[in-house]
Amino acid sequence: MLDEVAKGQVGGQEPPRRFVFVLVDNFTLLSFASAVECLRIANRMAERKLYTWIVAGDSDDTVACSAGARFQVDINLDELLRDDTVIVCGGADIQQATSKRLLNWLRREARRGLKIGGLCTASYVLAKAGLLDGKRATIHWENHDSFAEEFEEVDLTKSVFTVDGNRMTTAGGTSSIDLMLKLIADEHGEKLASAVADQLIYSSIRTDQDTQRLSVPTRIGVRHPKLSQVIQMMEANIEEPISPSILAREAGMSTRQLERLFRRYLSRSPKRYYMELRLQKARNLLMQTDMTVINVALACGFSSPSHFSKCYRAHYDTTPYRERGAHASRLSV
């Protein structure tokens, strides 16, 4: 164990900090479990109780995670202690899982000054409650586009996690570990946080300066600097697409060279690849927001709904309207 930590180099003998994990229906088990494990291991390594935790929910019984396992709720949405830290755990279909009761409860606890965080898609819950207005935040990359469209007042980043005042957000998955290690380090020192990471066999602790997605070369399986540069420009300009000639010029090559580059490494033209990026964003917006099909089309660089529908159908073998209807029916089952 950590002898020095056990002897009191963890910040004295102040009472343990209590975390209240609020489980939302279909929450992501990995994000929740990662956070709790960090607290448990911190207690073990310090050989005293630095942290305690309880599970809360908008239910008197149990809450199911997205993997199907159910968890017993310790308390309902009751008034908390002033020193509590609230961590909302989100997951799949977060819009449907967010109740008015939960939003009102969060607003009330925020007015009382509690520190509140959101794991994975729970950033949506905090933003919907108005708790992230004017603050830096992050959310899982798959929900990034829809979040940015709905919450323009939030300074949305692509970081693994963010801490802005008394608000915390993570991108999901193992990013819970990075956030909790930062909190442990801030309260009880880097040595304890490193010891917790070692126990987790977590060899690379990320900061809020690290981005959540893999680099372009890693994602596409190709390490070519000019190809990566062009793809990054495409991803940054979905609403107002850039012509192949401008993309080529910015990358320092001819349009013909750009065409050959894409066909060699990605087996498709630059135009086709760009279209697939735009359609992927459109599908996310259709399934995660209430934006009209016309607004989705405009947000993804299509000049008309008819052109958007034609391209969407050619790629996904269904229309944008049917896609949205099918998604709504699945949620209602």
Side-chain angles (χ1 to χ4, degrees), residues 97-209:
T98 304
S99 68
K100 290 183 178 179
R101 183 165 179 258
L102 174 58
L103 294 176
N104 290 333
W105 180 80
L106 285 171
R107 292 179 186 123
R108 185 188 73 196
E109 295 304 313
R111 286 194 296 268
R112 298 178 58 238
L114 269 68
K115 181 179 290 188
I116 300 177
L119 305 184
C120 195
T121 59
S123 305
Y124 171 89
V125 183
L126 270 60
K128 194 72 174 176
L131 306 188
L132 297 179
D133 291 358
K135 293 185 177 294
R136 293 178 67 254
T138 190
I139 196 169
H140 192 281
W141 62 263
E142 193 174 42
N143 302 84
H144 193 276
D145 294 333
S146 59
F147 188 101
E149 291 287 342
E150 186 167 354
F151 303 109
E152 296 181 359
E153 61 279 8
V154 179
D155 181 11
L156 185 62
T157 75
K158 295 184 178 180
S159 301
V160 173
F161 69 89
T162 64
V163 177
D164 192 340
N166 56 0
R167 300 289 176 263
M168 306 167 290
T169 55
T170 77
T174 57
S175 62
S176 297
I177 297 176
D178 302 292
L179 173 62
M180 302 311 284
L181 290 177
K182 173 176 172 51
L183 298 181
I184 292 169
D186 288 347
E187 294 181 356
H188 301 294
E190 293 284 350
K191 188 168 186 177
L192 178 59
S194 296
V196 173
D198 281 343
Q199 287 293 313
L200 291 166
I201 315 180
Y202 200 65
S203 57
S204 180
I205 303 175
R206 296 170 294 184
T207 72
D208 58 358
Q209 300 302 309

Side-chain angles (χ1 to χ4, degrees), residues 234 238 266-283 302 311 315-316:
M234 289 178 172
I238 298 293
L266 299 175
S267 302
R268 51 175 64 77
S269 68
K271 184 178 179 181
R272 181 70 238 171
Y273 188 88
Y274 209 166
M275 175 65 71
E276 290 172 359
L277 287 178
R278 292 159 59 198
L279 290 172
Q280 184 179 56
K281 175 177 178 177
R283 189 167 189 266
F302 295 93
C311 295
H315 188 65
Y316 290 114

Side-chain angles (χ1 to χ4, degrees), residues 208-226:
D208 58 358
Q209 300 302 309
D210 291 301
T211 55
Q212 53 184 283
R213 294 204 72 182
L214 298 174
S215 65
V216 170
T218 303
R219 273 189 277 139
I220 65 176
V222 177
R223 293 195 175 278
H224 192 293
K226 290 190 175 182

